[in-house]
Amino acid sequence: MGKLDGKVAVITGGTSGMALAGAKLFVDEGAHVFITGRRQDALDEAVSRIGHGVTGVQGDAANLDDLDRLFETVEREKGSIDVLWASAGGGEAAALGEITEEQFDRTFGLNARGTFFTVQKALRLLNDNASIIMTGSNASLGAFPGWSVYAGSKAAQQAWARVWLNELRDRRIRVNVLTPGSVLTPMQEAVLDEGAKAAFESIIPRRQMGRPEEIATVALFLASDDSSYVNGLELVADGGTTAL
Ligand SMILES: NC(=O)c1ccc[n+]([C@@H]2O[C@H](COP(=O)([O-])OP(=O)(O)OC[C@H]3O[C@@H](n4cnc5c(N)ncnc54)[C@H](OP(=O)(O)O)[C@@H]3O)[C@@H](O)[C@H]2O)c1
């Protein structure tokens, strides 16, 4: 028996990296999973890699019309949602003094505004006892030069989790933040040279970046009844980097 038998999960930005690893694991555990991404070819490839129990819906998690279309599709095909994982996010390094309005708006537009409206628009479809997971970043807990916009855009999630779990208490909906440290996703592998990777690894106690599968298992914990008494938590999965 799977930990998510008969459940419906929606994962934004699920065509690569941690969220794709999570989508595969959720399906292995019995869920039907909807994944999203902007590029149709990457979405098609992810759907075929997962193989069954998955529906791909093309769309940008920062675009509110795309979010409406996503949840209309979910409603039409499955009716309701048990697990909502707002994972789509990203950012780029820029030091204070050099940050453009466009960079600020793009980062907050996806990580903060997009995440906020992903949850708000899903609300009408969420079943009682549903689990909401947002992907944060340990950048919001540290003091990494160049990452203030990204860190700020992720920090909002912790405040939202606390308010929302109180607003949603009668529906027994749990809201948690999954906060990874550096994880070697295919996209990171493509952009990090050896020097940059070594710099990331130098601050991780085990001196090795995380693997997407190590975040997927944390997401499964938060998605399933294994975490039925866990609510409002920021679960930091960064190998102890923040603790140092
Ligand atoms: N990797 C890390 O070290 C790390 C550390 C801490 C936190 N995080 C956070 O973890 C989450 C996932 O990161 P990741 O590195 O695993 O993923 P990723 O490899 O950067 O991206 C995963 C997928 O998300 C899709 N995506 C990106 N922007 C999107 C958007 N606006 N709307 C819909 N889909 C979108 C991408 O497909 P398309 O390009 O086709 O849309 C991509 O295939 C993000 O929120 C990120 O900020 C990452």
Short mmCIF file of all heavy atoms in Angstrom, two decimals, residues 198-228:
data_model
loop_
_atom_site.label_atom_id
_atom_site.label_comp_id
_atom_site.label_asym_id
_atom_site.label_seq_id
_atom_site.Cartn_x
_atom_site.Cartn_y
_atom_site.Cartn_z
N ALA A 198 32.35 23.93 -6.23
CA ALA A 198 33.21 23.77 -5.05
C ALA A 198 32.87 24.82 -4.00
O ALA A 198 32.89 24.54 -2.79
CB ALA A 198 34.68 23.86 -5.46
N ALA A 199 32.54 26.04 -4.44
CA ALA A 199 32.20 27.10 -3.49
C ALA A 199 30.91 26.74 -2.75
O ALA A 199 30.83 26.90 -1.52
CB ALA A 199 32.04 28.43 -4.23
N PHE A 200 29.91 26.26 -3.47
CA PHE A 200 28.67 25.82 -2.81
C PHE A 200 28.97 24.70 -1.81
O PHE A 200 28.50 24.71 -0.67
CB PHE A 200 27.65 25.30 -3.84
CG PHE A 200 26.81 26.37 -4.47
CD1 PHE A 200 26.76 26.54 -5.85
CD2 PHE A 200 26.01 27.20 -3.68
CE1 PHE A 200 25.96 27.52 -6.42
CE2 PHE A 200 25.21 28.19 -4.25
CZ PHE A 200 25.19 28.34 -5.63
N GLU A 201 29.80 23.73 -2.25
CA GLU A 201 30.02 22.55 -1.42
C GLU A 201 30.87 22.86 -0.19
O GLU A 201 30.78 22.17 0.82
CB GLU A 201 30.63 21.43 -2.27
CG GLU A 201 29.62 20.98 -3.33
CD GLU A 201 29.95 19.69 -4.03
OE1 GLU A 201 31.14 19.42 -4.28
OE2 GLU A 201 29.01 18.94 -4.35
N SER A 202 31.66 23.93 -0.27
CA SER A 202 32.56 24.24 0.85
C SER A 202 31.79 24.63 2.11
O SER A 202 32.31 24.53 3.21
CB SER A 202 33.51 25.37 0.46
OG SER A 202 32.79 26.59 0.33
N ILE A 203 30.53 25.06 1.97
CA ILE A 203 29.77 25.47 3.17
C ILE A 203 28.78 24.39 3.63
O ILE A 203 28.02 24.59 4.57
CB ILE A 203 29.01 26.80 2.93
CG1 ILE A 203 28.03 26.69 1.77
CG2 ILE A 203 30.01 27.94 2.71
CD1 ILE A 203 27.05 27.85 1.70
N ILE A 204 28.78 23.24 2.95
CA ILE A 204 27.89 22.13 3.33
C ILE A 204 28.71 21.16 4.20
O ILE A 204 29.79 20.74 3.79
CB ILE A 204 27.35 21.39 2.08
CG1 ILE A 204 26.62 22.38 1.17
CG2 ILE A 204 26.44 20.23 2.48
CD1 ILE A 204 26.27 21.82 -0.21
N PRO A 205 28.21 20.82 5.39
CA PRO A 205 29.01 19.95 6.26
C PRO A 205 29.54 18.69 5.57
O PRO A 205 30.69 18.32 5.78
CB PRO A 205 28.04 19.62 7.40
CG PRO A 205 27.20 20.86 7.51
CD PRO A 205 27.00 21.32 6.09
N ARG A 206 28.75 18.04 4.73
CA ARG A 206 29.24 16.80 4.12
C ARG A 206 30.03 17.07 2.84
O ARG A 206 30.48 16.14 2.18
CB ARG A 206 28.10 15.82 3.84
CG ARG A 206 27.20 16.23 2.69
CD ARG A 206 26.09 15.21 2.46
NE ARG A 206 25.37 15.50 1.22
CZ ARG A 206 24.25 14.88 0.85
NH1 ARG A 206 23.73 13.95 1.63
NH2 ARG A 206 23.67 15.19 -0.28
N ARG A 207 30.13 18.37 2.47
CA ARG A 207 30.91 18.80 1.29
C ARG A 207 30.38 18.20 -0.02
O ARG A 207 31.12 17.92 -0.94
CB ARG A 207 32.40 18.43 1.43
CG ARG A 207 33.05 19.05 2.66
CD ARG A 207 33.37 20.53 2.42
NE ARG A 207 34.13 21.09 3.51
CZ ARG A 207 33.60 21.80 4.53
NH1 ARG A 207 32.30 22.04 4.57
NH2 ARG A 207 34.37 22.30 5.46
N GLN A 208 29.07 18.01 -0.05
CA GLN A 208 28.46 17.45 -1.26
C GLN A 208 27.04 17.99 -1.37
O GLN A 208 26.30 17.97 -0.37
CB GLN A 208 28.43 15.92 -1.11
CG GLN A 208 28.09 15.20 -2.37
CD GLN A 208 27.86 13.70 -2.10
OE1 GLN A 208 27.90 13.23 -0.95
NE2 GLN A 208 27.60 12.98 -3.15
N MET A 209 26.71 18.53 -2.53
CA MET A 209 25.37 19.08 -2.72
C MET A 209 24.31 17.98 -2.58
O MET A 209 24.60 16.79 -2.72
CB MET A 209 25.26 19.73 -4.11
CG MET A 209 26.06 21.03 -4.23
SD MET A 209 26.11 21.67 -5.91
CE MET A 209 24.46 22.34 -6.09
N GLY A 210 23.08 18.43 -2.33
CA GLY A 210 21.98 17.49 -2.24
C GLY A 210 21.62 16.90 -3.60
O GLY A 210 21.97 17.45 -4.65
N ARG A 211 20.93 15.78 -3.55
CA ARG A 211 20.40 15.17 -4.77
C ARG A 211 18.89 15.40 -4.80
O ARG A 211 18.24 15.43 -3.74
CB ARG A 211 20.68 13.66 -4.79
CG ARG A 211 22.14 13.30 -4.98
CD ARG A 211 22.35 11.78 -4.97
NE ARG A 211 22.17 11.20 -3.65
CZ ARG A 211 21.12 10.46 -3.27
NH1 ARG A 211 20.14 10.19 -4.13
NH2 ARG A 211 21.03 9.99 -2.04
N PRO A 212 18.29 15.57 -5.98
CA PRO A 212 16.84 15.80 -6.05
C PRO A 212 16.05 14.75 -5.28
O PRO A 212 15.05 15.07 -4.63
CB PRO A 212 16.56 15.72 -7.56
CG PRO A 212 17.83 16.18 -8.20
CD PRO A 212 18.94 15.66 -7.31
N GLU A 213 16.52 13.51 -5.30
CA GLU A 213 15.79 12.42 -4.62
C GLU A 213 15.78 12.63 -3.10
O GLU A 213 14.89 12.14 -2.40
CB GLU A 213 16.44 11.06 -4.95
CG GLU A 213 16.29 10.65 -6.41
CD GLU A 213 17.20 11.43 -7.36
OE1 GLU A 213 18.20 12.02 -6.90
OE2 GLU A 213 16.88 11.48 -8.57
N GLU A 214 16.80 13.34 -2.58
CA GLU A 214 16.85 13.60 -1.13
C GLU A 214 15.84 14.67 -0.71
O GLU A 214 15.52 14.80 0.46
CB GLU A 214 18.26 14.02 -0.71
CG GLU A 214 19.27 12.89 -0.83
CD GLU A 214 20.68 13.35 -0.49
OE1 GLU A 214 21.20 14.25 -1.19
OE2 GLU A 214 21.27 12.81 0.46
N ILE A 215 15.37 15.45 -1.67
CA ILE A 215 14.31 16.43 -1.38
C ILE A 215 12.95 15.78 -1.62
O ILE A 215 11.98 16.04 -0.92
CB ILE A 215 14.49 17.68 -2.26
CG1 ILE A 215 15.88 18.31 -2.02
CG2 ILE A 215 13.37 18.69 -2.01
CD1 ILE A 215 16.15 18.76 -0.59
N ALA A 216 12.89 14.89 -2.62
CA ALA A 216 11.62 14.21 -2.93
C ALA A 216 11.10 13.44 -1.72
O ALA A 216 9.89 13.45 -1.44
CB ALA A 216 11.83 13.25 -4.11
N THR A 217 11.99 12.80 -0.97
CA THR A 217 11.54 12.02 0.19
C THR A 217 11.01 12.94 1.30
O THR A 217 10.09 12.58 2.03
CB THR A 217 12.67 11.12 0.75
OG1 THR A 217 13.84 11.93 0.92
CG2 THR A 217 12.98 9.97 -0.18
N VAL A 218 11.59 14.14 1.39
CA VAL A 218 11.09 15.11 2.38
C VAL A 218 9.70 15.60 1.95
O VAL A 218 8.79 15.74 2.77
CB VAL A 218 12.07 16.30 2.52
CG1 VAL A 218 11.55 17.30 3.54
CG2 VAL A 218 13.46 15.81 2.93
N ALA A 219 9.55 15.83 0.66
CA ALA A 219 8.24 16.26 0.14
C ALA A 219 7.19 15.17 0.39
O ALA A 219 6.04 15.48 0.76
CB ALA A 219 8.34 16.58 -1.35
N LEU A 220 7.58 13.91 0.20
CA LEU A 220 6.63 12.81 0.46
C LEU A 220 6.20 12.81 1.92
O LEU A 220 5.02 12.63 2.23
CB LEU A 220 7.26 11.47 0.07
CG LEU A 220 6.40 10.24 0.39
CD1 LEU A 220 5.08 10.26 -0.38
CD2 LEU A 220 7.18 8.95 0.08
N PHE A 221 7.15 13.05 2.81
CA PHE A 221 6.81 13.12 4.24
C PHE A 221 5.77 14.22 4.48
O PHE A 221 4.74 13.99 5.13
CB PHE A 221 8.10 13.39 5.05
CG PHE A 221 7.85 13.75 6.48
CD1 PHE A 221 7.38 12.81 7.38
CD2 PHE A 221 8.09 15.05 6.94
CE1 PHE A 221 7.15 13.14 8.72
CE2 PHE A 221 7.86 15.39 8.27
CZ PHE A 221 7.38 14.45 9.16
N LEU A 222 6.01 15.40 3.92
CA LEU A 222 5.09 16.52 4.15
C LEU A 222 3.74 16.29 3.45
O LEU A 222 2.71 16.77 3.92
CB LEU A 222 5.71 17.84 3.67
CG LEU A 222 6.91 18.33 4.49
CD1 LEU A 222 7.52 19.58 3.85
CD2 LEU A 222 6.52 18.61 5.95
N ALA A 223 3.76 15.58 2.33
CA ALA A 223 2.53 15.35 1.57
C ALA A 223 1.64 14.29 2.22
O ALA A 223 0.41 14.35 2.09
CB ALA A 223 2.88 14.90 0.15
N SER A 224 2.24 13.35 2.92
CA SER A 224 1.50 12.16 3.38
C SER A 224 1.09 12.29 4.84
O SER A 224 1.49 13.22 5.55
CB SER A 224 2.37 10.92 3.20
OG SER A 224 3.42 10.95 4.15
N ASP A 225 0.34 11.31 5.30
CA ASP A 225 -0.10 11.28 6.71
C ASP A 225 1.06 11.05 7.67
O ASP A 225 0.87 11.18 8.89
CB ASP A 225 -1.17 10.20 6.91
CG ASP A 225 -2.51 10.64 6.31
OD1 ASP A 225 -2.66 11.84 6.03
OD2 ASP A 225 -3.37 9.77 6.12
N ASP A 226 2.24 10.70 7.15
CA ASP A 226 3.41 10.59 8.04
C ASP A 226 3.65 11.90 8.79
O ASP A 226 4.26 11.89 9.86
CB ASP A 226 4.67 10.24 7.24
CG ASP A 226 4.72 8.77 6.87
OD1 ASP A 226 3.85 8.01 7.34
OD2 ASP A 226 5.61 8.39 6.09
N SER A 227 3.20 13.00 8.20
CA SER A 227 3.42 14.31 8.85
C SER A 227 2.09 14.91 9.33
O SER A 227 1.94 16.14 9.37
CB SER A 227 4.10 15.28 7.87
OG SER A 227 3.28 15.48 6.73
N SER A 228 1.13 14.04 9.70
CA SER A 228 -0.22 14.53 10.02
C SER A 228 -0.25 15.55 11.17
O SER A 228 -1.18 16.35 11.27
CB SER A 228 -1.14 13.35 10.34
OG SER A 228 -0.57 12.56 11.35
#
